[in-house]
Amino acid sequence: MDSILHTINAPIFAPSRVGESVATHCPYCAMQCGMMIESKNDLPVVTPNQSFPVNNGSLCIKGWTSAELLNHPERLREPLARNAKGKLVPVSWDDALQRIAVRFTEIQIEHGHDAAALFGSGALTNEKTYVLGKFARIALGTANIDYNGRFCMSSAAAASNKAFGIDRGLPFPVADIAKAEVILMVGSNSAETMPPLMQYFEQQRANGGKLIVIDPRQSATAANATLHLKLTPGSDAALANGILHILIRDGLIDSEYIQSRTQDFERVKGIVATYWPEQVERITGVREALLVQAAHLLGRAKSAMILTGRGTEQQAQGVNNLLSYINIALATGRVGRPFSGYGTLTGQGNGQGGREHGQKADQLPGYRSINDPAAREYMAAVWGVDANELPKAGKSAYELLNALGSEIKALLVMGSNVVVSAPNATHIKSRLKKLDFLAVADFFLSETAELADVVLPAAQWAEEEGTMTNLEGRVILRERAVEPPAGVKTDLEILCELGKRLGRESLFAYESPREVFEEFRVATKGGLADYSGITYEKITKQQGVFWPCNEANPNGTPRMFTEKFATPNGRARFHAIRHLSPAEEPDAYYPFYLTTGRVLSHYQSGTQTRRVAKLVEMNAEPCAEIHPAIARRLGLSDGAKIWLQTRRDAAQFKIKITPTIREDTVFVPFHWGGAQAINRLTNAALDPISRMPEFKICAVRIVRSQTSIES
Ligand code: SF4
């Protein structure tokens, strides 16, 4: 299938690439499917890379249509800035960059270094992530940098760090899924979010394997499962404790493994003893018989995996939820064993690398902590500055956005659309408007860019080279195939230009992403996420390199924890977890749970996919899924309009009546902006450890659309 192509302003193949089919990777999710891009009739066309081992020649519809974005008519092709009348008008690059440098400097002189902030993205390459973090700490000297991955992966990252001492989403290649006898999939709908991954689940089923899905919806993934545990939203920790209770009761734990490879099991045993199945059935709504079936499948299998996704992670108890599922994986002796273990399915394209190399508020490259004196000394030496110059940890993503207009006066957003993707989005939009100065670098005039004082047109995936780290921890290389349109700069060029204007020219004098990568290798050396042994050449030769890759593991590490964990004593840690209720539960006025998620045809805030005709055709607008019993009670027919109202805002949606949703729950996808942005309604209650907002649960009421709503 050829990509559907627009006919204006065709991208030009890089001179060295004309006539070539260039190996690259999809611009969207963390599968980072291998693709070939070539020029046909002077337009770029993508096809699957048949030899790349992760997707094995498969692409989803988003990947197939991704080349359309390169020459899209709405693409930004020149910098914009506000004129005297407040309108965004074209300006020169010199003018745009100078405005940013001058306003950031003025604001920092008046309000202090931390009054300037940066907001990055899990879509940025490792090279950009690294330079963005360096830019924050050295060029601006601000503590306030965070990124949209805080909204995706921070709970999974925190749980893995606590339990295993290190955070690599999947500590094994995706191909291992096919050989697992039993898989417990929690809060993930991979059939829609990353369809090429399902080939491994299909192989697993063909091998006689079983799939257990835990999800409040009978999603496309749950529909094909052996067992579907349709739990009450927010009851994950109770469910996991209940399963572990049964495993212990029925003698299905691995005592030898617990004794030799873990610590702190006895406390967990004490707590889960109180989660007897009848009580767990009351909390979770999952029948005791199903709990027992799930526990027995897991406990009796020769190999078993637990995989988690955003459904269980994007909660104010997200870290605890994951620790309670990790307890099951450890108690049954799975982690580090063949075709077994625990992993999280990372969402964004570079959601893994993006959380390792310094764009997080508390982090330096190589997964080092910014509060660790030794890490500060090391990075200061790499950068050639005094360690005392480096700021300490700053605010997490939501807290940073919530401080706009008060403590934070100037913000540069790179590759993120927070007006759509942040929780309590109406409030966040009002905070953005309170800023003294906002700059946004993006490909399109996103809902966030529309509010900016200066907008910088950025290059896209096929127009620059750089590395990404996929959901397996495999570092891959996107080659440059296409020249960026005239008038567009890469994010790296933008940061280097700004670094120069802020007086740090020598520290941001990179000629190419490859040059950044060489410094980055040194920066990560000895860190938890050690990339020091990786080169662009090795990535190409090996079809990607799994970190850690260093002198001890020169070819990388596809499988982790086979002998020890990354904790000081080499043992994995159990955590005693009690179930706590979500921050908001249904009541008489807001009687339903609201949960959110994705659809097959769109990606994240939709800035890109809402501009692809084929994808819009598949899903033109978000629909609120409600159960037939509720529709009957409210006298609603399929396609009727309703208002959804929460304590924060209200929005109108068309309904889709479906028995796949629980009667007490409404589901709405989150890829749309403006009046259709469901995140206007979601709750910003934060997990106390990861600072992840509770996107997945809040209390909502349904109002028939004839009734007017004050929003
Ligand atoms: Fe792209 Fe993800 Fe689809 Fe693969 S699964 S084609 S990486 S969006």
Side-chain angles (χ1 to χ4, degrees):
M1 171 178 156
D2 282 353
S3 182
I4 301 157
L5 298 165
H6 293 268
T7 51
I8 64 162
N9 295 319
I12 305 158
F13 259 63
S16 60
R17 297 299 200 182
V18 173
E20 250 190 85
S21 186
V22 181
T24 184
H25 294 269
C26 177
Y28 298 117
C29 85
M31 275 292 280
Q32 283 301 292
C33 291
M35 310 194 305
M36 306 304 294
I37 181 165
E38 61 186 294
S39 172
K40 272 196 186 157
N41 302 324
D42 290 333
L43 290 169
V45 175
V46 298
T47 51
N49 180 346
Q50 302 292 341
S51 67
F52 187 66
V54 179
N55 55 310
N56 296 308
S58 175
L59 291 179
C60 80
I61 187 69
K62 298 184 287 291
W64 274 110
T65 55
S66 55
E68 275 194 60
L69 296 171
L70 294 168
N71 57 321
H72 195 283
E74 290 172 23
R75 177 107 192 248
L76 294 170
R77 289 166 191 275
E78 52 196 343
L80 306 172
R82 300 242 169 237
N83 65 11
K85 292 181 183 158
K87 287 194 76 168
L88 278 174
V89 296
V91 295
S92 68
W93 270 102
D94 185 53
D95 185 355
L97 292 166
Q98 197 58 16
R99 284 183 198 221
I100 297 172
V102 167
R103 289 299 288 133
F104 268 65
T105 303
E106 288 172 350
I107 286 165
Q108 287 192 303
I109 288 170
E110 192 178 346
H111 299 286
H113 279 105
D114 292 345
L118 294 171
F119 201 93
S121 163
L124 303 178
T125 61
N126 290 317
E127 291 81 351
K128 293 185 201 177
T129 298
Y130 170 74
V131 174
L132 192 67
K134 179 178 176 182
F135 181 84
R137 277 62 182 240
I138 296 183
L140 291 176
T142 178
N144 287 321
I145 172 170
D146 215 61
Y147 78 124
N148 61 15
R150 179 77 66 177
F151 297 156
C152 298
M153 299 311 303
S154 53
S155 285
S160 288
N161 280 321
K162 283 172 85 67
F164 311 128
I166 198 165
D167 157 39
R168 198 180 89 187
L170 292 181
F172 41 73
V174 286
D176 282 10
I177 289 171
K179 294 191 179 160
E181 194 176 312
V182 171
I183 297 174
L184 178 67
M185 177 99 134
V186 190
S188 172
N189 181 16
S190 311
E192 289 203 67
T193 55
M194 41 180 71
L197 184 68
M198 298 317 286
Q199 62 187 285
Y200 299 108
F201 288 88
E202 282 153 22
Q203 288 166 27
Q204 188 243 0
R205 190 166 48 182
N207 293 339
K210 304 275 190 284
L211 173 65
I212 307 165
V213 170
I214 297 178
D215 198 314
R217 298 168 68 212
Q218 191 194 39
S219 63
T221 312
N224 284 317
T226 315
L227 292 181
H228 175 202
L229 280 49
K230 209 169 174 179
L231 82 174
T232 304
S235 62
D236 289 84
L239 184 63
N241 281 355
I243 290 174
L244 186 51
H245 175 106
I246 296 164
L247 287 164
I248 296 170
R249 182 195 70 188
D250 296 349
L252 294 171
I253 57 171
D254 186 337
S255 300
E256 195 282 323
Y257 179 97
I258 293 169
Q259 203 273 327
S260 63
R261 298 214 51 194
T262 71
Q263 64 184 62
D264 304 331
F265 176 64
E266 287 306 314
R267 285 196 55 228
V268 173
K269 195 174 167 188
I271 282 191
V272 301
T274 64
Y275 283 79
W276 56 92
E278 302 86 339
Q279 183 207 13
V280 172
E281 177 175 324
R282 273 200 302 280
I283 299 170
T284 65
V286 177
R287 283 185 295 111
E288 182 181 346
L290 268 182
L291 292 169
V292 172
Q293 253 183 294
H296 286 183
L297 278 175
L298 272 173
R300 290 177 177 150
K302 284 196 190 67
S303 55
M305 278 179 189
I306 298 179
L307 303 175
T308 62
R310 304 306 83 74
T312 186
E313 295 165 12
Q314 289 179 319
Q315 298 185 26
Q317 297 299 318
V319 176
N320 280 354
N321 288 345
L322 300 189
L323 289 171
S324 61
Y325 286 115
I326 290 171
N327 286 343
I328 297 175
L330 292 174
T332 50
R334 305 301 186 185
V335 186
R337 293 254 171 88
F339 315 116
S340 295
Y342 164 79
T344 179
L345 297 165
T346 296
Q348 288 195 82
N350 198 26
Q352 180 71 54
R355 67 185 190 257
E356 298 166 355
H357 302 299
Q359 63 175 334
K360 261 170 106 174
D362 52 357
Q363 192 190 67
L364 291 171
Y367 230 125
R368 291 181 163 91
S369 165
I370 201 163
N371 292 326
D372 172 7
R376 294 169 66 83
E377 286 294 342
Y378 182 81
M379 281 314 305
V382 173
W383 288 338
V385 298
D386 190 319
N388 293 323
E389 212 184 298
L390 301 179
K392 290 279 175 63
K395 296 179 189 300
S396 74
Y398 185 80
E399 291 159 305
L400 186 157
L401 296 172
N402 197 34
L404 301 181
S406 53
E407 291 161 74
I408 296 172
K409 308 286 185 190
L411 177 69
L412 169 63
V413 179
M414 196 159 258
S416 191
N417 187 12
V418 293
V419 170
V420 178
S421 63
N424 196 7
T426 308
H427 170 69
I428 292 305
K429 187 172 178 181
S430 75
R431 302 302 318 181
L432 281 158
K433 287 181 177 169
K434 288 192 166 68
L435 280 168
D436 290 358
F437 186 77
L438 172 64
V440 174
D442 212 324
F443 325 133
F444 296 107
L445 196 65
S446 68
E447 287 82 355
T448 306
E450 281 173 12
L451 304 177
D453 298 290
V454 172
V455 181
L456 303 175
Q460 292 193 45
W461 53 285
E463 297 162 354
E464 55 185 339
E465 69 179 351
T467 61
M468 307 280 282
T469 307
N470 82 349
L471 78 170
E472 311 164 284
R474 183 195 302 255
V475 184
I476 50 108
L477 177 65
R478 281 187 190 161
E479 292 189 45
R480 184 184 192 206
V482 178
E483 296 282 350
V488 164
K489 286 189 190 293
T490 69
D491 291 324
L492 280 177
E493 286 169 341
I494 290 167
L495 291 171
C496 291
E497 289 271 357
L498 287 173
K500 183 159 78 178
R501 286 162 202 260
L502 291 167
R504 291 293 205 173
E505 180 170 8
S506 64
L507 296 175
F508 294 90
Y510 304 107
E511 290 292 322
S512 66
R514 191 178 284 258
E515 198 179 320
V516 174
F517 193 77
E518 289 308 310
E519 181 181 305
F520 163 85
R521 290 174 61 200
V522 178
T524 67
K525 188 172 184 174
L528 280 170
D530 190 337
Y531 287 49
S532 59
I534 303 178
T535 62
Y536 279 17
E537 290 70 27
K538 197 182 280 185
I539 294 172
T540 304
K541 191 168 162 219
Q542 294 185 194
Q543 300 264 38
V545 181
F546 292 82
W547 72 259
C549 176
N550 46 28
E551 280 168 18
N553 302 290
N555 295 320
T557 314
R559 293 179 183 81
M560 303 176 85
F561 313 138
T562 51
E563 286 171 16
K564 60 179 179 146
F565 294 92
T567 52
N569 65 3
R571 289 171 175 266
R573 304 177 188 117
F574 279 95
H575 290 83
I577 303 297
R578 286 187 195 283
H579 159 70
L580 295 173
S581 300
E584 267 183 25
E585 289 207 283
D587 57 21
Y589 194 72
Y590 299 103
F592 298 94
Y593 290 103
L594 171 65
T595 191
T596 67
R598 290 177 48 186
V599 294
L600 169 66
S601 60
H602 289 286
Y603 182 68
Q604 304 298 66
S605 76
T607 306
Q608 297 167 87
T609 52
R610 281 187 277 124
R611 289 180 162 88
V612 178
K614 183 82 185 165
L615 303 180
V616 173
E617 209 178 279
M618 290 170 70
N619 289 93
E621 63 176 311
C623 289
E625 293 186 6
I626 67 169
H627 192 274
I630 303 304
R632 266 196 307 279
R633 202 169 84 202
L634 297 173
L636 296 167
S637 52
D638 209 36
K641 289 272 178 102
I642 54 162
W643 285 93
L644 293 179
Q645 185 178 31
T646 67
R647 288 182 174 83
R648 289 151 292 282
D649 206 346
Q652 201 178 30
F653 298 95
K654 201 188 264 185
I655 61 163
K656 179 176 164 189
I657 300 173
T658 170
T660 57
I661 190 81
R662 289 171 56 95
E663 285 189 34
D664 58 5
T665 305
V666 179
F667 169 84
V668 182
F670 58 70
H671 311 288
W672 285 266
Q676 297 179 315
I678 191 62
N679 276 328
R680 292 165 51 185
L681 278 63
T682 51
N683 192 359
L686 301 182
D687 182 289
I689 298 163
S690 67
R691 317 309 284 164
M692 163 81 89
E694 190 153 65
F695 287 99
K696 283 294 184 275
I697 307 166
C698 66
V700 67
R701 76 185 184 115
I702 302 171
V703 183
R704 292 172 61 109
S705 67
Q706 292 93 323
T707 315
S708 76
I709 291 273
E710 289 292 321
S711 65

